[in-house]
């Protein structure tokens, strides 16, 4: 039956040729390591976010008087609503963590170098988009936690020189976080960000297919044995995807309080600031840096400079050597950068 359907389609649009060109006949280096599966894990997480997000949208109401009630209804009344909501919230954290892993691994393996500059640059924008998705979604439940964490997070934008206050007002749509903020974060989260994701991921994968995937540093692509992408490498990808799904479900079933602490269980109250409100873990490094550097101007300047430096890295670091151990200056800067990021995150958590 399936064969008949495929033959029917093939007769019209030669689908078998497409499958052979892009899947079974698409050859990749046989010595690809685990890190090369991170992109597929990100695709899997994005897929989960799209499906669970659409399901949540069926009951969610983007109105300050009804938002909290609607997510409580999803959690307590809708069949499996609690599961869908927990998966959506936890998968965001896994997605951001894997974004870091994917970025750091392509950084250390020198995958951003010629001819993959465009892939790195499109990836950098996807990185920023991941954060925008997380920030905009966080406010939607309109709980004490989401309200105040968004107030703190949007406040940090105020440190931008000259136009900081305008930016905060533009982001919030008002002086403080209120209905205008919820409406624009909702539009961002359910339309703008997903559309940008689709377009940019398509571009990212297009670049990957045009340049071909790199072989790990230290091996010459021409000398490496090749295996078909489907089924051989796709099964390797699947193993790593299952591993991260395992982590996701451990958190979903056994540690839900990590993501839903008590402040997430009461509706937003603009007149009561809970003690110890902090942004999510992935914003802590930026937050802590702005707190530690007394001159706000300098704090924001350093962050913008780091972001621009990372975006343009393939145009700055143009040497052809990809092996990290043969690039001591790069390795020192990269390790110091990662350590600084971890230290700031830990400080943000404990201070
Ligand atoms: C939604 C986010 C993203 C998705 C879905 C995604 C997907 C992928 C996929 C499927 C691959 C091929 C397999 C692999 O090497 O993992 C890949 C490769 C790559 N990605 Fe991403 N990516 C994302 C974000 C990023 C980010 C944030 C960066 C870095 C700033 C980045 C830079 C690269 C580079 C340089 C490669 C080439 C690897 C090579 O051929 O050695 N990507 N990406």
């Amino acid at each position: 039956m399936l064969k008949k359907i495929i033959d029917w389609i093939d007769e019209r649009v030669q689908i078998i040729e497409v499958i052979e060109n892009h899947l079974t006949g698409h050859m990749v280096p046989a010595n690809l390591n685990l890190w090369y599966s991170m992109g597929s894990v990100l695709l899997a997480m994005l897929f989960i976010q799209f499906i669970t997000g659409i399901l949540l949208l069926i009951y969610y109401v983007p109105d300050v008087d009804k938002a909290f009630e609607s997510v409580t209804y999803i959690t307590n009344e809708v069949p499996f609503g609690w599961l869908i909501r927990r998966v959506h919230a936890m998968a965001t954290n896994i997605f951001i963590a894997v974004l870091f892993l994917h970025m750091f691994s392509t950084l250390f393996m020198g995958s951003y170098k010629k001819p993959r500059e465009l892939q790195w640059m499109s990836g950098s924008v996807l990185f920023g988009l991941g954060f925008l998705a997380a920030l905009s979604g966080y406010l939607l439940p309109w709980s004490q936690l989401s309200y105040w964490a968004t107030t703190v997070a949007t406040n940090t934008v105020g440190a931008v020189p000259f136009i900081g206050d305008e930016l905060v007002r533009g982001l919030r749509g008002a002086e403080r976080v209120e209905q205008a903020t919820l409406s624009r974060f909702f539009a961002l989260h359910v339309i703008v960000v997903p559309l940008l994701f689709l377009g940019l991921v398509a571009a990212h994968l297009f670049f990957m297919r045009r340049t071909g995937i790199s072989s790990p540093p230290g091996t010459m692509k021409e000398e490496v044995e090749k295996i078909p992408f489907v089924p051989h490498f796709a099964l390797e990808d699947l193993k790593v995807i299952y591993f991260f799904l395992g982590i996701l479900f451990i958190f979903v079933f056994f540690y839900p309080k990590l993501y839903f602490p008590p402040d997430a269980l009461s509706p937003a109250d603009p007149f009561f600031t809970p003690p110890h409100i902090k942004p999510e873990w992935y914003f802590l490094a930026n937050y802590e840096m702005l707190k530690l550097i007394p001159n706000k101007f300098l704090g924001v300047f350093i962050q913008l400079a780091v972001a621009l430096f990372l975006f343009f890295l393939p145009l700055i670091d143009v040497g052809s050597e990809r092996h990290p151990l043969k690039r001591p200056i790069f390795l020192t800067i990269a390790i110091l950068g990662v350590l600084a990021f971890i230290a700031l995150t830990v400080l943000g958590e404990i201070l």
Side-chain angles (χ1 to χ4, degrees), residues 189-302:
H189 192 73
V190 306
I191 294 289
V192 182
V193 171
L195 284 181
L196 287 175
F197 259 125
L198 286 178
L200 275 159
V201 167
H204 196 65
L205 297 182
F206 172 75
F207 296 140
M208 178 193 75
R209 286 296 279 119
R210 297 306 293 169
T211 61
I213 204 155
S214 70
S215 40
T219 51
M220 292 298 290
K221 197 164 188 167
E222 300 70 37
E223 296 163 2
V224 170
E225 192 198 332
K226 296 279 175 69
I227 50 169
F229 176 61
V230 171
H232 294 64
F233 192 65
L235 285 174
E236 293 298 314
D237 272 352
L238 213 56
K239 275 194 227 163
V240 186
I241 292 175
Y242 280 144
F243 173 78
F244 280 96
L245 283 181
I247 297 186
L248 170 66
F249 283 106
I250 286 175
F251 279 112
V252 163
F253 290 121
F254 300 111
Y255 301 101
K257 290 209 177 93
L258 261 186
Y259 200 77
F260 296 111
D263 279 330
L265 306 177
S266 51
D269 179 354
F271 300 105
F272 172 67
T273 318
H276 317 301
I277 252 333
K278 275 186 191 152
E280 283 295 273
W281 63 268
Y282 36 83
F283 285 121
L284 281 179
N286 305 57
Y287 173 70
E288 192 54 35
M289 190 177 204
L290 289 179
K291 249 175 55 186
L292 286 180
I293 300 178
N295 184 339
K296 293 279 159 275
F297 199 96
L298 186 64
V300 172
F301 177 79
I302 294 176

Side-chain angles (χ1 to χ4, degrees), residues 292-315:
L292 286 180
I293 300 178
N295 184 339
K296 293 279 159 275
F297 199 96
L298 186 64
V300 172
F301 177 79
I302 294 176
Q303 298 197 358
L304 282 180
V306 171
L308 283 176
F309 176 74
L310 280 175
F311 180 80
F312 287 112
L313 180 66
L315 308 184

Side-chain angles (χ1 to χ4, degrees), residues 35-40 42-43 46 95 99 102-103 106 111-112 116 119-120 123-124 126-127 197 201 204-205 208 212-214 322:
W35 300 111
Y36 284 89
S37 291
M38 293 305 150
S40 302
L42 287 171
L43 284 179
L46 261 191
F95 180 74
L99 264 186
H102 184 50
M103 187 176 194
T106 51
S111 314
Y112 55 86
R116 298 185 183 79
Q119 208 170 335
W120 171 269
S124 316
L126 279 167
F127 190 74
F197 259 125
V201 167
H204 196 65
L205 297 182
M208 178 193 75
I213 204 155
S214 70
R322 286 178 48 221

Side-chain angles (χ1 to χ4, degrees), residues 9 98 107 140 159 162 347:
I9 300 176
V98 181
L107 180 76
L140 303 186
F162 309 118
L347 280 178

Side-chain angles (χ1 to χ4, degrees), residues 1-18:
M1 179 68 182
L2 185 65
K3 176 147 183 12
K4 266 194 177 163
I5 297 177
I6 294 179
D7 285 346
W8 189 88
I9 300 176
D10 190 53
E11 216 181 316
R12 283 149 188 90
V13 291
Q14 290 77 48
I15 188 80
I16 291 177
E17 184 192 319
V18 177

Side-chain angles (χ1 to χ4, degrees), residues 106-113 217 313 317 319-333:
T106 51
L107 180 76
F108 281 101
M109 291 196 288
S111 314
Y112 55 86
K113 296 197 164 199
L313 180 66
D317 178 18
S320 60
E321 179 58 61
R322 286 178 48 221
H323 202 291
L325 294 179
K326 293 188 182 141
R327 299 186 287 146
I329 301 177
F330 159 84
L331 195 64
T332 317
I333 299 177

